[in-house]
Amino acid sequence: MTTRTPNVQLSALVAESGLTYEALARAVRAVAAECGARLRTNKSNIEHWISGSVPRGDTPRYLAVALSRRLGRLLTPADLGLPSPAEAEDDTIGLSLGADPLDALLPMWRYEVDRRRFLRASAYSTAAAALPLHHLHDVAERTAAARTGYTVGMAEVAAVRDMIHAFSEMDERHGGQHGRSALVTYLRDDVAPLCRARFRTDDVRRQMLSAASRGVHLLGWKSYDAGQQGLAQRYYLQSYALAAESGLPGHDGFVMRTMAMQGLKLHRPEHCLNLAETGLNRAKGRVDAQTEALFRVVHAHTLAKSGKHRAALSEAEHARTLLTSAPGDEVPFWALAWGPPAASVYSRTAKVHETMGDHRAAAEHYTLAAAARPGDTYARIVALDLVAGAEMHLKRGSIEQACATWHQALDHMDGVRSVRTRKAVSRMRADLARFRARGLRCVAELDERGRGFLTGA
């Protein structure tokens, strides 16, 4: 006969909740019913679980939700002393699309705050990049809860959006290393419980999950900016899961678009074209024209990388046409991740031309992109567009124009803490090396300024 070890964690939480075994069993049945499942949980089941038996199937999650509601804080099965697949292996955390994205995000956030390094040093996974392609229709309906008696409405959604917008502006103005821990804490302690709340309407629930997805997407972007590509990918996957669960038209496709962009940047084109095409197909006809332009221009870039140059140019032109076709349309909150859509379209169009070797057209579009964003709000991305434009001028043999554009980029980098901006300046100094012997004054002045920037950074 097997001897069970009593579950002291679960016992303590049940005692803290003040619920009788019968009342807790009733709460578990209620949560399961909200998720479309029928359970016969009774007080005997609660007794067995506290004695050490493990609930079957999704019951641990229903139990965690029921206790979360009662205690007013977010709990996972692991907190209840029950097996949690998301924490089974450190190196697989976040690299799957499980039943509940929060179950994957909570351990990731715990390690972020603890400064655990294994996730930050994790490698980009080509296999993981394909996950959304295979999970488009596999996201189950889920419901969870926050504080007892508290019902979430659009006011709470608006507050979350405002806070994430503030974090996003801080990120663009000062770089991804600013406010990262604060964002993790906010998402973990405030937003995650709201995602498991009682909602006034189903639309409120959808909007809250979408806002949470945008916050997790921002964490992915911060990790990307810090050069932590594996961690960025994990955040993007969980952002995708939240967006898919929200059901808002186009949002899950937008995260797929981001994953395609990451793959292109890392010169890992596997799945990029499929991600971009699938994301576009999930958005076109369901979003406004400016948002659709964002999808189409990334699709154009993946086409160019695949050698389909004529199709790429046609798609890029389609994106530019969409920008002006309905300028008064409201752009969704999640589609404004990088500011004005026009700037993103110009910048990505520049990359299409760059891929095809048309450096003059690329430089022109990088200039348009930099001018389309408010420089004080989007300092980092404006600087990086200017850097890319300078590199195009250099490839055309125009060293003076390249130096002038690099100076403009450095003007925007003051106060920005970003691995990408430091790498851009280091690359600039390497590109200038072959011109130093010519005694060009513009080169010497720019190189000295770049050296000073790196010393200060």
Side-chain angles (χ1 to χ4, degrees):
M1 183 174 178
T2 304
T3 302
R4 294 185 184 137
T5 302
N7 188 334
V8 294
Q9 288 175 256
L10 179 58
S11 178
L13 288 168
V14 172
E16 183 185 351
S17 74
L19 293 170
T20 65
Y21 288 178
E22 180 59 45
L24 179 56
R26 188 163 54 247
V28 171
R29 293 196 303 270
V31 172
E34 291 171 6
C35 298
R38 288 190 63 186
L39 293 184
R40 296 181 178 178
T41 304
N42 55 39
K43 65 178 182 180
S44 295
N45 295 120
I46 306 296
E47 291 171 352
H48 287 309
W49 298 340
I50 289 176
S51 297
S53 66
V54 177
R56 296 179 180 179
D58 288 327
T59 305
R61 182 167 294 107
Y62 303 147
L63 179 59
V65 169
L67 286 169
S68 295
R69 287 183 172 179
R70 179 69 176 183
L71 296 174
R73 64 180 186 271
L74 194 64
L75 297 170
T76 67
D79 296 322
L80 277 56
L82 299 173
S84 180
E87 298 195 57
E89 294 290 340
D90 285 353
D91 59 357
T92 64
I93 291 175
L95 280 179
S96 63
L97 296 175
D100 190 334
L102 292 177
D103 283 351
L105 285 165
L106 286 171
M108 290 172 66
W109 291 336
R110 187 175 305 128
Y111 296 142
E112 281 264 19
V113 174
D114 291 344
R115 293 291 190 265
R116 286 279 291 274
R117 295 194 57 80
F118 76 92
L119 280 178
R120 295 191 179 198
S122 59
Y124 176 86
S125 167
T126 301
L131 281 175
L133 295 173
H134 303 301
H135 286 75
L136 285 173
H137 304 293
D138 295 340
V139 179
E141 286 295 324
R142 294 180 290 277
T143 303
R147 298 171 177 82
T148 305
Y150 189 77
T151 303
V152 172
M154 282 306 298
E156 286 75 20
V157 173
V160 171
R161 287 177 175 173
D162 287 346
M163 185 64 76
I164 291 173
H165 179 72
F167 275 112
S168 184
E169 284 205 343
M170 182 192 305
D171 179 83
E172 291 297 342
R173 187 178 292 118
H174 301 297
Q177 296 180 57
H178 277 281
R180 177 162 163 171
S181 295
L183 176 58
V184 168
T185 302
Y186 174 66
L187 291 173
R188 182 193 65 190
D189 295 346
D190 295 328
V191 178
L194 288 172
C195 288
R196 290 183 168 174
R198 292 185 179 91
F199 298 96
R200 296 187 189 281
T201 66
D202 187 58
D203 184 59
V204 172
R205 174 179 176 272
R206 287 150 54 95
Q207 298 292 342
M208 181 61 77
L209 290 170
S210 175
S213 171
R214 172 70 181 91
V216 174
H217 187 276
L218 178 57
L219 269 181
W221 182 240
K222 281 179 169 292
S223 303
Y224 179 97
D225 189 59
Q228 298 157 352
Q229 300 298 342
L231 180 56
Q233 182 184 40
R234 293 165 195 245
Y235 278 132
Y236 290 148
L237 281 169
Q238 302 313 317
S239 174
Y240 164 81
L242 285 164
E245 186 177 350
S246 79
L248 291 189
H251 193 174
D252 56 350
F254 187 79
V255 185
M256 297 175 82
R257 168 189 179 274
T258 300
M259 294 178 68
M261 289 163 56
Q262 183 187 25
L264 291 175
K265 182 66 175 179
L266 298 180
H267 307 292
R268 301 297 300 267
E270 304 94 336
H271 310 300
C272 288
L273 182 56
N274 282 341
L275 282 168
E277 286 181 342
T278 306
L280 171 61
N281 289 335
R282 292 186 69 76
K284 63 184 179 183
R286 306 176 71 202
V287 297
D288 64 281
Q290 292 187 76
T291 301
E292 184 175 329
L294 296 174
F295 285 88
R296 288 196 176 277
V297 77
V298 169
H299 184 221
H301 192 191
T302 60
L303 287 169
K305 284 288 189 179
S306 302
K308 302 176 181 180
H309 292 179
R310 183 175 297 177
L313 288 174
S314 176
E315 188 75 320
E317 182 58 31
H318 191 171
R320 289 199 62 170
T321 301
L322 284 169
L323 282 179
T324 57
S325 64
D329 286 354
E330 183 178 357
V331 178
F333 170 73
W334 47 262
L336 295 172
W338 289 283
S344 293
V345 170
Y346 294 143
S347 181
R348 193 59 49 172
T349 301
K351 297 182 189 305
V352 172
H353 290 295
E354 182 179 351
T355 299
M356 297 169 58
D358 189 346
H359 299 137
R360 180 184 296 276
E364 291 174 354
H365 281 86
Y366 279 127
T367 299
L368 288 172
R373 289 188 175 95
D376 55 343
T377 304
Y378 297 94
R380 177 187 55 197
I381 197 166
V382 169
L384 292 172
D385 277 332
L386 289 169
V387 165
E391 291 171 349
M392 295 302 99
H393 289 310
L394 189 65
K395 288 182 177 181
R396 292 176 50 236
S398 181
I399 181 62
E400 291 83 3
Q401 193 168 4
C403 286
T405 306
W406 263 315
H407 272 297
Q408 293 177 42
L410 284 166
D411 290 342
H412 288 278
M413 290 184 191
D414 287 340
V416 175
R417 294 176 59 198
S418 165
V419 170
R420 288 189 301 152
T421 55
R422 291 199 299 274
K423 284 184 176 180
V425 176
S426 295
R427 190 170 63 246
M428 175 195 78
R429 296 194 70 214
D431 288 339
L432 292 175
R434 67 181 186 272
F435 296 98
R436 292 193 188 105
R438 300 184 187 180
L440 294 175
R441 182 177 178 180
C442 66
V443 171
E445 291 177 346
L446 179 61
D447 185 62
E448 180 64 23
R449 187 179 180 188
R451 186 166 65 87
F453 173 85
L454 293 173
T455 300

